[in-house]
Amino acid sequence: MATIHEGLMTKSALLVAMVACAAVLPAQAPATLIRNATVLTVTKGTLPATDVLLQDGKIAAIGKNLTTPSGAMVIDGTGKFLMPGIIDPHSHMMSDATNEGSLSVTSMVRIADVLNPTAPNIYRALAGGTTMLNILHGSANTIGGQNAVVKLKWGRPAQAMLVPGAMPGIKFALGENVTRKNSNTVIVQGQAQAPRRFPTSRMGQEVVLRDAFTRARDYQATWADYRARLAKKEAGLIAPRRDLELEPLVEVLEGKRYVHAHSYRADEMLMLLNLADEFGFKVKTLQHGLEGYKIASEIAKHGAGLSTFADSWGYKIEAYDAIAYNVAILMRHGVVTTINSDDDGRARRLNIDAAKMMRYGGLTEDEALRIITYNGAIQLGLQDRVGSIEVGKEADVVLWNAHPLSVYASPDYTIIDGEVFFSKESDQKMRTARATERAELEKAEPNQAPSGRGGAGGRGGAGAPTATPAGGVR
């Protein structure tokens, strides 16, 4: 019990410290000028000894010897590296509920409804240079819930973290995670066993998809007919009943909602791509996709992207055929490919995962950076706003103390929309302040060890040590 309590106290103390750190960040200046940094633009090459001006939440200027605006905060970037904020295309951070696993199709549920803006891993991710997440529903359902795209604005309410204008998405899932949902039934002798949820096989998963989109297509036609009659001003019309399950799927059919599909094996990915072609919609990203290299040409032909792991495999049977060269093979076939975390801890180390792809497949430096920045922006439909350092884009940038593809690198500043949300300097001030506060609290009388004579209602009792005149014990 003591161990559990200590763990809870540690998390609580960390949360207090995080809030305190947010309070000691630099006050928002009208502009920020980063001087003399090596700028890794990702899309426009590397610019040595270059200034970048951030103003009104945007990248306002890039060049040498830029003029400092009045009141601007100036950061010396000499010997440091500036890159776009890291984008994690597959995360469950901040989600207080991840799976609604009761039904095969739960397209009506929304991750945005269960975001926790105080999750400590937000701060840790910022300390690793991550600025944006695609927070997905879990993989318990063939068709899961709606996603949430957020910027990690630590200290702000959840609504302020949601990216305005981001293309809505939905999580699909194939393979063992969907069927394994049925293995959680506890068998109790003498009690009736709960019925297993359909589907229990990959064949059943295809049926669920086909049935759902057939119903969605009929629902779409019903509303189209109603709107056509309404335009003709027909009398006595009654609107069709709204179906919250089918509305997101109609958006998929109409290209208004992205599909992000959890998948591992080549056969199940190919099944989904073929079914999508049949119903006339696109799969935006295949998530995980460890066997994507086997069907790289087919993925490219469909126009899907793929978001995978750098070197995480073998943890279950459908992950046995993964190879380290998956990213490189896919990219050479023209597939927009990214590295994701799917893990709160890994989210702050994506720069190292990207560097591994230079070893396994010979990616260039810019290509390695693309798989954690610009390609993720493409997969979220935000490439015109984030993912590279270009004038006019949103000011989501990270200043590193060494090249970000080095294991020795760490961010000095993480900036979102022109605001500093993490800095080492502020973090150190917070730690010093908390250490000082703790030392003062430990001196307080309520935190001292008991020293008085025990008595009725007191801390002492039979066998308790008693005070001596000198204040000692005997």
Side-chain angles (χ1 to χ4, degrees):
M1 179 63 71
T3 303
I4 295 173
H5 182 68
E6 288 166 8
L8 290 172
M9 289 299 291
T10 300
K11 184 175 180 181
S12 176
L14 177 62
L15 184 58
V16 171
M18 304 289 171
V19 174
C21 184
V24 299
L25 285 169
Q28 174 63 9
T32 299
L33 182 63
I34 302 169
R35 283 205 175 280
N36 202 39
T38 299
V39 180
L40 307 171
T41 68
V42 177
T43 56
K44 306 291 184 182
T46 299
L47 308 176
T50 298
D51 302 345
V52 175
L53 176 63
L54 312 178
Q55 198 164 26
D56 298 324
K58 300 293 180 75
I59 299 171
I62 302 170
K64 294 183 182 294
N65 302 315
L66 295 179
T67 301
T68 306
S70 176
M73 178 174 71
V74 179
I75 299 174
D76 184 8
T78 303
K80 299 179 181 181
F81 293 77
L82 189 71
M83 70 170 282
I86 292 173
I87 298 171
D88 187 350
H90 185 132
S91 175
H92 304 291
M93 192 185 297
M94 297 176 60
S95 56
D96 272 354
T98 302
N99 280 295
E100 174 51 66
S102 56
L103 303 171
S104 299
V105 179
T106 57
S107 48
M108 69 292 288
V109 303
R110 307 183 300 183
I111 287 295
D113 293 334
V114 290
L115 293 179
N116 175 13
T118 66
N121 277 308
I122 298 171
Y123 184 82
R124 296 176 179 132
L126 285 167
T130 300
T131 57
M132 180 178 286
L133 306 177
N134 181 25
I135 306 177
L136 294 167
H137 187 274
S139 51
N141 325 74
T142 305
I143 298 178
Q146 301 168 35
N147 72 328
V149 180
V150 302
K151 290 190 180 186
L152 297 180
K153 296 184 176 183
W154 176 248
R156 304 288 170 80
Q159 192 65 30
M161 295 189 185
L162 292 169
V163 177
M167 186 75 163
I170 189 168
K171 175 75 174 289
F172 286 11
L174 307 172
E176 298 303 319
N177 281 22
V178 179
T179 58
R180 199 171 57 191
K181 175 68 175 66
N182 294 295
S183 66
N184 297 330
T185 302
V186 178
I187 300 175
V188 180
Q189 192 68 28
Q191 292 186 15
Q193 187 174 348
R196 300 185 74 189
R197 189 201 68 183
F198 182 84
T200 63
S201 69
R202 284 179 168 82
M203 292 184 295
Q205 290 166 27
E206 181 172 3
V207 169
V208 168
L209 289 166
R210 188 174 299 281
D211 172 72
F213 277 103
T214 298
R215 290 186 288 118
R217 197 159 54 184
D218 291 344
Y219 181 69
Q220 181 187 37
T222 299
W223 272 95
D225 179 68
Y226 168 74
R227 293 189 183 103
R229 291 169 177 265
L230 195 63
K232 294 177 183 178
K233 299 183 179 180
E234 290 189 19
L237 289 177
I238 299 176
R241 177 183 178 274
R242 285 188 65 193
D243 191 317
L244 300 182
E245 175 192 350
L246 297 180
E247 281 184 359
L249 301 184
V250 170
E251 292 174 346
V252 170
L253 291 172
E254 294 176 349
K256 298 175 182 176
R257 183 175 293 276
Y258 288 155
V259 171
H260 304 287
H262 165 111
S263 47
Y264 280 84
R265 286 178 19 177
D267 55 354
E268 67 190 19
M269 286 187 277
L270 197 56
M271 176 274 290
L272 177 60
L273 297 180
N274 288 338
L275 185 140
D277 288 340
E278 178 184 336
F279 280 89
F281 68 88
K282 293 293 183 184
V283 176
K284 189 63 174 179
T285 61
L286 296 162
Q287 298 284 337
H288 308 317
L290 298 189
E291 292 187 16
Y293 65 93
K294 296 181 180 181
I295 55 169
S297 296
E298 288 80 1
I299 296 172
K301 181 180 178 181
H302 177 82
L306 191 143
S307 189
T308 189
F309 299 131
D311 56 359
S312 182
W313 54 65
Y315 44 86
K316 55 182 175 179
I317 193 168
E318 61 183 352
Y320 280 6
D321 272 7
I323 62 173
Y325 298 90
N326 192 33
V327 169
I329 291 171
L330 288 162
M331 290 184 72
R332 297 298 174 248
H333 281 78
V335 177
V336 175
T337 310
T338 57
I339 293 290
N340 68 64
S341 73
D342 196 20
D343 175 84
D344 289 354
R346 200 180 191 106
R348 66 181 189 268
R349 302 185 182 94
L350 288 174
N351 61 309
I352 303 305
D353 278 350
K356 295 171 186 175
M357 299 301 97
M358 296 178 71
R359 167 65 178 84
Y360 296 104
L363 266 60
T364 67
E365 192 175 279
D366 279 346
E367 286 174 331
L369 292 172
R370 282 179 75 101
I371 63 178
I372 54 172
T373 56
Y374 190 71
N375 285 3
I378 294 173
Q379 291 181 351
L380 296 175
L382 296 170
Q383 66 271 23
D384 293 333
R385 295 171 55 181
V386 295
S388 61
I389 296 181
E390 300 179 58
V391 172
K393 286 199 168 182
E394 294 167 12
D396 297 356
V397 298
V398 184
L399 187 65
W400 298 74
N401 64 355
H403 196 290
L405 295 178
S406 165
V407 295
Y408 300 106
S410 60
D412 284 345
Y413 290 88
T414 301
I415 299 172
I416 301 174
D417 288 337
E419 291 189 57
V420 176
F421 282 91
F422 170 83
S423 81
K424 280 182 182 171
E425 182 183 1
S426 298
D427 183 79
Q428 187 55 55
K429 287 179 181 177
M430 176 270 294
R431 292 174 187 273
T432 301
R434 294 289 73 75
T436 301
E437 182 182 22
R438 176 170 181 157
E440 291 300 317
L441 288 172
E442 286 176 346
K443 294 176 185 177
E445 189 277 330
N447 294 321
Q448 301 304 305
S451 59
R453 212 181 265 277
R459 293 181 181 176
T466 57
T468 66
V473 293
R474 67 183 182 199

